Amino acid sequence: MVKPLVSIVIPAYNNAEYLDETMRSVLAQTYERIEVIVADHSSTDETLAVMKRYENDPRVTLLSTEAGGGALRNWNRVSQAATGEYLKLVCGDDIIRPELVERQVAALEAAPGSVLAATKRDIVDADGRPFVRGRGLGRLRGRVSGAAAARATVRAGTNIFGEPACVLMRRDALESAGWWDNRFPYLIDVASYVRVMLQGDVVALDESLASFRVSESQWSVRLVRDQASQTIGFNRSLRAERPDVVRRVDLSLGDLRARLMARVRQASYLYLGRRMSRTSTAVAEGS
């Protein structure tokens, strides 16, 4: 068997409702040199039973992670178990398009010295219906320096690279960065990307090749405020560590936009909540 070049890792936790769809999207990749590593983080639902449907697939390795430690423990568990040169983390309720890995591998292979490739994504509701299409990357296109990419996400006041399913990175660069960065828990993804991208260049693909599912747990005012507060905290931390990357003007603009984005995000989630409520009512009335 040819050694996999890409490791797709799935840190699963109480994802029984969606994990099968996620797994099918991962295993449908047109790029063949992949391994898939799934770890159940002591779920209390049927996540483990769903995982076991795939135990006979030679591409799939099933693991378990002890309870505790938050997302960081399971994200590091699956990432450190990966053997591929490139790594993609897919959360247990997200979906990737069949050509995603193939496109991102080609982009990285064509750009020696690049350490991370990112694509746009669609944001979908709990039923998988698109809510926002082609979201992410700001004005980044093609190959850019890691410093420029990091500065762009700071200035945006939000994670312009999207969830981990949108990103393919060099595993050794993530290891050099100290694995996933959980100092700001809501920013575990983008904080880690930044530490990776500061080691090389980034390739931004102007295509929407993944879907991120928004759940009811993301509709609270407190959560949105915490996200904004942690974004500001991360930006200031990065400015203190790398003033050559984040200038004062970048920080000021990023702080302002983080607060504005919190209001936009809350309004969007409220709208989505009402839409889901109307759908549930219509289904109930029609049954």
Side-chain angles (χ1 to χ4, degrees):
M1 181 176 177
V2 179
K3 184 180 186 298
L5 186 67
V6 176
S7 299
I8 304 177
V9 300
I10 304 174
Y13 176 69
N14 285 347
N15 294 131
E17 185 175 0
Y18 305 113
L19 182 59
D20 189 59
E21 185 177 8
T22 298
M23 290 293 295
R24 283 187 279 112
S25 78
V26 165
L27 293 171
Q29 291 301 297
T30 57
Y31 189 82
E32 296 182 351
R33 291 183 60 188
I34 65 170
E35 66 174 356
V36 180
I37 301 173
V38 193
D40 174 44
H41 197 177
S42 302
S43 297
T44 57
D45 65 0
E46 296 301 311
T47 293
L48 185 58
V50 176
M51 288 169 54
K52 287 185 176 180
R53 297 174 191 171
Y54 298 91
E55 61 185 353
N56 293 323
D57 190 313
R59 297 169 293 178
V60 177
T61 299
L62 302 182
L63 304 174
S64 61
T65 302
E66 294 180 359
L72 180 66
R73 172 174 282 184
N74 211 20
W75 286 33
N76 279 340
R77 173 84 164 101
V78 288
S79 300
Q80 291 169 7
T83 66
E85 182 177 340
Y86 298 115
L87 183 141
K88 175 182 291 294
L89 187 146
V90 179
C91 293
D93 56 357
D94 292 339
I95 305 165
I96 59 177
R97 303 274 178 86
E99 66 273 26
L100 174 56
V101 170
E102 184 174 7
R103 297 277 180 86
Q104 290 186 320
V105 168
L108 290 173
E109 297 281 285
S114 57
V115 292
L116 184 149
T119 184
K120 295 181 177 181
R121 84 285 199 200
D122 296 340
I123 301 176
V124 302
D125 63 22
D127 294 327
R129 295 174 303 172
F131 177 52
V132 179
R133 293 184 183 273
R135 180 73 174 171
L137 297 181
R139 297 181 179 179
L140 297 182
R141 299 291 184 275
R143 185 173 183 171
V144 297
S145 73
R151 187 179 304 116
T153 201
V154 169
R155 289 174 66 89
T158 189
N159 173 11
I160 65 172
F161 305 101
E163 295 68 40
C166 303
V167 168
L168 182 71
M169 67 182 84
R170 293 192 61 90
R171 182 191 180 280
D172 59 0
L174 181 63
E175 182 176 11
S176 294
W179 301 106
W180 295 97
D181 183 350
N182 197 42
R183 291 173 301 157
F184 302 91
Y186 288 123
L187 278 70
I188 185 174
D189 46 12
V190 69
S192 305
Y193 306 158
V194 167
R195 292 190 174 277
V196 167
M197 66 181 62
L198 290 178
Q199 301 176 50
D201 289 344
V202 170
V203 182
L205 301 177
D206 190 19
E207 299 177 87
S208 187
L209 297 173
S211 295
F212 166 65
R213 197 184 306 269
V214 177
S215 66
E216 293 184 25
S217 65
Q218 293 162 298
W219 297 349
S220 75
V221 172
R222 178 179 177 182
L223 185 147
V224 171
R225 287 176 178 168
D226 286 348
Q227 288 175 326
S229 175
Q230 290 190 21
T231 297
I232 291 170
F234 168 71
N235 291 349
R236 292 178 179 177
S237 173
L238 185 58
R239 159 71 182 168
E241 294 176 16
R242 293 295 303 269
D244 58 317
V245 173
V246 180
R247 302 161 300 188
R248 286 191 178 90
V249 64
D250 302 321
L251 192 64
S252 298
L253 187 58
D255 288 357
L256 175 62
R257 286 178 171 168
R259 295 185 179 97
L260 291 175
M261 282 299 300
R263 296 181 182 181
V264 171
R265 189 176 290 115
Q266 181 62 25
S268 299
Y269 289 165
L270 287 173
Y271 166 76
L272 181 58
R274 293 191 185 102
R275 189 174 84 166
M276 288 296 295
S277 178
R278 288 196 299 269
T279 300
S280 298
T281 300
V283 171
E285 291 175 349
S287 62

